Amino acid sequence: MSHNTALRQLDELQAQLHALRAQQTSNHAFSAGARGHAALLAALPPRYAEVLLALLDRLEAGALFTEESCSFSHQGLLDSLQQWLDKARATLAGKTA
């Protein structure tokens, strides 16, 4: 898979995260979409896939909560997903330099 495909999938994932933040999609739909970005995950070091999958598992489990709780912060999880996206983008940019 090409580097351009990975970047396109990263952009798609960013748009999906924006939709999730705006409550235009569900946790499950976001998670399913993110898991389907094989080219993106293949272009990154293996640890990125491990971290993303753990975050997605937490997101899906957190769907059981309707509000923030001491054991789950939906906003914190979305922030962690954004941080993952930012680091993935920097890693992919470094591969083209």
Side-chain angles (χ1 to χ4, degrees):
M1 304 250 174
S2 77
H3 184 74
N4 289 337
T5 301
L7 287 172
R8 183 181 47 76
Q9 288 185 352
L10 184 64
D11 290 340
E12 289 171 6
L13 190 55
Q14 181 67 70
Q16 292 166 343
L17 181 59
H18 286 306
L20 182 60
R21 284 186 187 272
Q23 299 179 339
Q24 297 170 339
T25 191
S26 68
N27 289 352
H28 179 72
F30 174 83
S31 181
R35 291 175 192 275
H37 292 308
L40 172 60
L41 296 177
L44 294 166
R47 180 74 179 133
Y48 278 81
E50 294 172 25
V51 171
L52 180 61
L53 295 177
L55 289 170
L56 296 175
D57 287 346
R58 287 178 51 208
L59 183 68
E60 290 172 348
L64 302 174
F65 297 99
T66 57
E67 55 189 57
E68 302 286 315
S69 73
C70 61
S71 62
F72 176 77
S73 169
H74 191 261
Q75 185 61 45
L77 190 50
L78 296 180
D79 292 345
S80 293
L81 286 164
Q82 183 61 59
Q83 185 177 34
W84 185 94
L85 284 162
D86 293 343
K87 289 183 178 189
R89 188 170 304 282
T91 297
L92 289 175
K95 287 186 172 186
T96 61

